[in-house]
Amino acid sequence: MEEVKVITPEELQKRVENGEELHLVDVREDEEVAEGMIPTAKHIRMNDIPANLDYFDKDKEYIFICRSGRRSENVCYYLQEQGYKVTNMAGGMLEWEGKTVNK
């Protein structure tokens, strides 16, 4: 199994603040997202990913986010096997120090 690409919360924060067009997907549960999420992230719960494959474009890269980086890593492995370009935010929202919005 091919390793999943990783980005640190600090690297991602810089890219967000620079206004880069990023495709962020938060895979946490509703109650976790209610505590705040990265402003430009789309919320698709981990268990809903297989039913939402039509949302993803194989020509774009997606950065996946969860609470600690574990669930998003699992999602990355799953989608990478389907041929998608994915990156996992290591450490998850526990290590995110950037801006958040409440959903």
Side-chain angles (χ1 to χ4, degrees):
M1 190 169 2
E2 193 181 328
E3 278 300 305
V4 165
K5 234 169 103 179
V6 171
I7 189 168
T8 67
E10 296 78 24
E11 290 168 330
L12 181 57
Q13 186 176 341
K14 282 187 188 122
R15 291 180 67 185
V16 167
E17 288 170 356
N18 288 338
E20 286 185 47
E21 185 186 333
L22 302 168
H23 304 284
L24 309 178
V25 181
D26 192 320
V27 299
R28 295 176 298 158
E29 295 298 315
D30 295 343
E31 60 276 6
E32 293 174 292
V33 166
E35 296 171 13
M37 60 190 278
I38 299 171
T40 57
K42 170 144 178 81
H43 179 220
I44 304 175
R45 290 186 311 261
M46 181 175 92
N47 294 338
D48 294 338
I49 293 286
N52 283 280
L53 287 181
D54 57 345
Y55 168 77
F56 300 101
D57 179 340
K58 289 191 177 177
D59 294 327
K60 294 179 181 168
E61 180 186 353
Y62 296 90
I63 298 172
F64 289 87
I65 301 153
C66 71
R67 191 180 74 86
S68 68
R70 209 70 205 120
R71 282 175 285 175
S72 52
E73 181 182 49
N74 290 336
V75 170
C76 285
Y77 278 117
Y78 170 75
L79 288 172
Q80 190 167 267
E81 286 174 6
Q82 317 286 319
Y84 294 95
K85 296 177 196 154
V86 297
T87 300
N88 183 37
M89 185 175 91
M93 291 302 285
L94 289 175
E95 295 186 19
W96 176 258
E97 294 179 0
K99 191 174 155 196
T100 60
V101 293
N102 289 1
K103 191 171 176 206

